[in-house]
Amino acid sequence: MTSSAPGPGTLRERKKQRVREEIYNAALDLLAEQPYDKVSVDDICARAQVGRATFFRCYGTKAGLLAEFNRRLAELARTAIADRDA
């Protein structure tokens, strides 16, 4: 019996990840131009060319997106430390 739930390598999952990356990169670009409190979800959605529902489905809130920034920054720091110690 096969599962109908998409696996990590499915087209659906890859598209979801691609949309998350587009939102993330759009937000990163906007935050390079202006402070966090001046960047709205609508600004991010317009730059990423996605709807608000898509943004909220991917990140929940603007703070959720900030948590993703922090997670990625922490991962970069861990990798840099591991590379230095190797």
Side-chain angles (χ1 to χ4, degrees):
M1 176 181 256
T2 61
S3 171
S4 62
T10 66
L11 179 61
R12 183 179 194 176
E13 284 298 313
R14 289 191 308 267
K15 182 178 180 190
K16 182 179 176 181
Q17 187 57 39
R18 189 171 52 249
V19 169
R20 283 181 61 86
E21 285 298 313
E22 289 170 3
I23 294 169
Y24 180 89
N25 290 329
L28 203 57
D29 290 345
L30 286 165
L31 292 169
E33 299 168 8
Q34 51 193 326
Y36 176 80
D37 62 330
K38 300 291 184 194
V39 175
S40 71
V41 169
D42 287 333
D43 295 334
I44 296 167
C45 291
R47 181 71 63 100
Q49 298 181 343
V50 299
R52 287 174 56 86
T54 300
F55 174 90
F56 289 114
R57 192 170 34 254
C58 288
Y59 289 103
T61 63
K62 192 172 143 186
L65 180 59
L66 186 59
E68 178 69 7
F69 289 141
N70 290 334
R71 185 194 66 74
R72 291 185 187 203
L73 184 58
E75 182 59 34
L76 286 172
R78 277 192 294 277
T79 300
I81 291 168
D83 289 349
R84 183 196 67 196
D85 292 343

